[in-house]
Amino acid sequence: MPRTTRIALALGGGGARGYAHIGVIEELEERGYEIVGIAGTSMGALVGGLHAAGRLEPYADWARTLTQRDVLRLLDPTITGPGMVRAEKVLAKVTELVGDTFIEDLPMPFTAVATDLTARKEVWFQRGRLDAAIRASIAIPGVMWPVVMDGRLLADGGLMNPVPVAATAAISADVTVAVSLSEDLLAAEGWPVRAGHNATAVAPNEAMVRSESELARTLRSWLDSIRGQFQDDTAEVETEAEMAEPPFGRPPAGLKTSDVLDLSLDAMRTVMGRYRLAGYPPDVLITIPRSAGGTMEFHRAEEMIAIGRARTREALQGVAT
């Protein structure tokens, strides 16, 4: 009888879009693949750690029930401290599911990736308490409070390694599958497409080429517009009335501070992710578009899980096992 294909799974960071990892895992296992090791960053560490501990199903059932009000309560917003939310209630749910499980006692190899903010390097958790490693990995800068462990100030692993393929290198597997949550699709005017756009209908390669070309055109247009305002170096100093109309276009209607933070983090993840994937290419890359959902839309678990399943089916078409 043919041996079951053994998979090493690298799960990327991207906030609530990380629910798509659940759909990826469900689809892979339903197709008969055996997941033998996982490395995860941020939500990839949370989902991957729960799966490695055999506790992903109850977490997924719980996540599907969350409303926007529930999410707000769980994130525990604060106006003071080093982040907008404490998220200790979310960690409490993880601890409730995995208890005092240690990573070295899991039935498969698992790595949670975090970032040491003071040493400016990534940290791989392969030993120690599972819930603590997950908490360190999911601390999105500016959003969630970082944590201090062993004298190190730790935050989201996506700052250094958004899709941790390298951390799966020691896993004995037939195929390495990576899941990136930062595929970027742009609308014609150069802004990221909004939720509801049929992003999954665009093939990944076509999407990447289109987004890069549109981004380049948009940046050139902006730069040309700005340069035109400063061509005359001898212009007189502007009056206070003239200063009221700066030489820039208006931001998109409805753009919020959270949107700017979200776009900034995703820009960083996208660039770092492409860089790291070029150095450590997986056998199969599953991409989840940014348009699928916002970083903090944790009330949309059902939709994200379904997208994860659909994108996995697309990625596996024609792949020999």
Side-chain angles (χ1 to χ4, degrees):
M1 295 180 63
R3 183 166 61 88
T4 300
T5 301
R6 295 160 54 86
I7 286 182
L9 200 54
L11 303 179
R17 289 192 300 280
Y19 283 141
H21 292 320
I22 299 173
V24 171
I25 290 171
E26 290 178 350
E27 189 68 25
L28 288 173
E29 293 197 325
E30 284 186 13
R31 288 170 175 259
Y33 295 100
E34 180 186 3
I35 298 171
V36 295
I38 302 175
T41 287
S42 197
M43 272 294 284
L46 189 152
V47 172
L50 287 168
H51 179 70
R55 302 299 291 160
L56 184 57
E57 184 175 352
Y59 175 83
D61 291 341
W62 171 74
R64 285 182 170 101
T65 69
L66 296 179
T67 64
Q68 284 183 292
R69 183 181 295 273
D70 294 331
V71 170
L72 185 63
R73 176 178 55 83
L74 288 166
L75 291 178
D76 193 13
T78 176
I79 59 174
T80 61
M84 295 188 295
V85 299
R86 295 186 181 89
E88 297 306 321
K89 295 176 182 177
V90 175
L91 180 63
K93 183 62 180 182
V94 173
T95 301
E96 175 189 327
L97 290 171
V98 303
D100 58 357
T101 300
F102 281 69
I103 296 174
E104 58 266 36
D105 296 330
L106 294 172
M108 67 175 70
F110 172 72
T111 302
V113 180
T115 298
D116 186 329
L117 295 178
T118 53
R120 299 179 179 86
K121 64 181 181 180
E122 62 185 278
V123 177
W124 291 6
F125 285 94
Q126 297 176 323
R127 300 181 62 83
R129 284 187 61 122
L130 176 60
D131 57 349
I134 291 172
R135 175 63 181 87
S137 184
I138 65 174
I140 303 173
V143 177
M144 192 176 297
W145 284 24
V147 297
V148 177
M149 295 178 64
D150 300 323
R152 298 179 296 187
L153 183 64
L154 302 175
D156 195 308
L159 291 170
M160 294 286 184
N161 199 344
V163 189
V165 178
T168 68
I171 298 172
S172 178
D174 303 310
V175 176
T176 300
V177 175
V179 185
S180 172
L181 305 178
S182 295
E183 181 191 8
D184 201 8
L185 302 182
L186 299 184
E189 62 273 20
W191 293 102
V193 293
R194 295 296 181 185
H197 176 79
N198 188 18
T200 57
V202 182
N205 288 340
E206 177 190 346
M208 184 174 293
V209 171
R210 192 176 72 178
S211 67
E212 288 176 345
S213 63
E214 290 181 1
L215 178 59
R217 287 197 299 271
T218 302
L219 288 174
R220 281 197 298 270
S221 175
W222 287 345
L223 288 172
D224 290 343
S225 174
I226 294 170
R227 289 193 190 103
Q229 301 291 333
F230 294 97
Q231 285 179 345
D232 185 5
D233 293 333
T234 63
E236 295 181 0
V237 177
E238 293 174 314
T239 64
E240 185 173 347
E242 290 171 333
M243 289 292 289
E245 292 295 334
F248 308 112
R250 290 184 177 277
L255 186 69
K256 303 185 293 294
T257 301
S258 59
D259 295 326
V260 175
L261 180 60
D262 196 9
L263 287 167
S264 302
L265 290 170
D266 273 316
M268 178 194 64
R269 291 191 193 106
T270 299
V271 173
M272 285 296 297
R274 288 176 182 172
Y275 169 75
R276 300 304 293 262
L277 287 171
Y280 298 93
D283 298 302
V284 177
L285 176 61
I286 299 169
T287 58
I288 309 299
R290 286 191 64 259
S291 57
T295 299
M296 304 303 290
E297 293 183 327
F298 289 99
H299 59 287
R300 298 179 56 205
E302 192 72 63
E303 297 170 63
M304 295 300 103
I305 292 171
I307 289 173
R309 279 181 167 272
R311 299 290 283 200
T312 302
R313 289 193 293 269
E314 293 173 14
L316 293 178
Q317 287 180 358
V319 176
T321 59

